[in-house]
Amino acid sequence: MADIINTYRQSVPAMRFVGKKYGDDDRIDGNFSAKWGEWFDNGWFTSIENQISANFKEEYEDAEAYIGLMRWKEGEPFEYWIGMFTPENTIVPEGFEYIDFPKSELGVCWVYGKEDEVYCKESKCAKRLSKEGYKVISDKDGAWWFFERYCCPRFTTPDDDGKIILDICHYIE
């Protein structure tokens, strides 16, 4: 069973998310893992990583993390994006799309467990953040943005119990 073992506020600079957008029709067996496989097979992260400067890495300590960005709004199609956050105004490589985010505050939850246990905990994390006094917010259009952040080595190197940490982040006030 996965547990939330850490929560905190993180201030982030204005950023451009660069990636590819998917929807519910792109799910296989209920998830997007096949799309992640395409990303690794095609080396798509490399062209985005090349856009990340050392200066940006100083401003945003998790700049090298791969991101599963989600957008949800009642009555609109669910969006799942795979990509990375880059400095604002980054030139977008051909074949990718982008979304600009202003300077923001994130509510971060560390979800600790075996890899097959840590996914789909966004609602649980939002509730935990609210319980701890953070206010999870929507954008100006009423859409909720949140994301999975795959940080090395928290996510990539299991501990002695075979458990890893997946960051789940919500925008907060």
Side-chain angles (χ1 to χ4, degrees):
M1 175 192 233
D3 294 310
I4 298 170
I5 62 165
N6 190 19
T7 59
Y8 59 95
R9 171 185 295 270
Q10 182 180 29
S11 298
V12 295
M15 300 187 286
R16 173 167 283 173
F17 179 85
V18 177
K20 293 179 183 273
K21 177 173 64 170
Y22 304 99
D24 286 329
D25 291 344
D26 296 302
R27 293 178 191 262
I28 296 174
D29 296 328
N31 62 58
F32 296 97
S33 61
K35 294 299 176 189
W36 280 91
E38 280 181 28
W39 273 75
F40 291 114
D41 291 345
N42 293 311
W44 289 337
F45 284 111
T46 302
S47 58
I48 300 171
E49 288 170 321
N50 291 337
Q51 306 290 329
I52 299 174
S53 65
N55 198 28
F56 182 65
K57 291 176 188 177
E58 289 176 15
E59 284 185 86
Y60 176 49
E61 68 182 295
D62 298 302
E64 296 178 284
Y66 298 155
I67 304 293
L69 175 68
M70 292 165 263
R71 179 188 183 275
W72 181 85
K73 183 178 179 184
E74 184 73 40
E76 293 184 8
F78 174 75
E79 295 177 15
Y80 185 86
W81 295 71
I82 298 175
M84 296 179 77
F85 286 109
T86 64
E88 63 180 331
N89 303 316
T90 294
I91 295 170
V92 179
E94 187 174 333
F96 295 91
E97 300 176 77
Y98 71 92
I99 304 165
D100 288 329
F101 288 92
K103 181 178 178 179
S104 303
E105 298 293 315
L106 299 176
V108 180
C109 291
W110 283 7
V111 181
Y112 173 74
K114 301 220 182 229
E115 185 174 354
D116 64 346
E117 300 172 336
V118 298
Y119 300 111
C120 301
K121 304 295 187 225
E122 292 79 18
S123 181
K124 182 178 181 179
C125 289
K127 287 177 186 169
R128 174 72 173 267
L129 290 166
S130 293
K131 182 180 174 187
E132 292 191 15
Y134 299 108
K135 183 179 178 189
V136 177
I137 58 172
S138 61
D139 68 11
K140 62 181 175 35
D141 298 321
W144 301 91
W145 291 91
F146 42 94
F147 56 92
E148 305 157 327
R149 184 168 61 193
Y150 299 88
C151 294
C152 298
R154 286 196 297 270
F155 182 80
T156 56
T157 305
D159 66 11
D160 292 340
D161 295 323
K163 296 182 178 183
I164 48 89
I165 295 171
L166 174 66
D167 295 14
I168 295 181
C169 305
H170 287 271
Y171 287 88
I172 61 172
E173 203 168 62

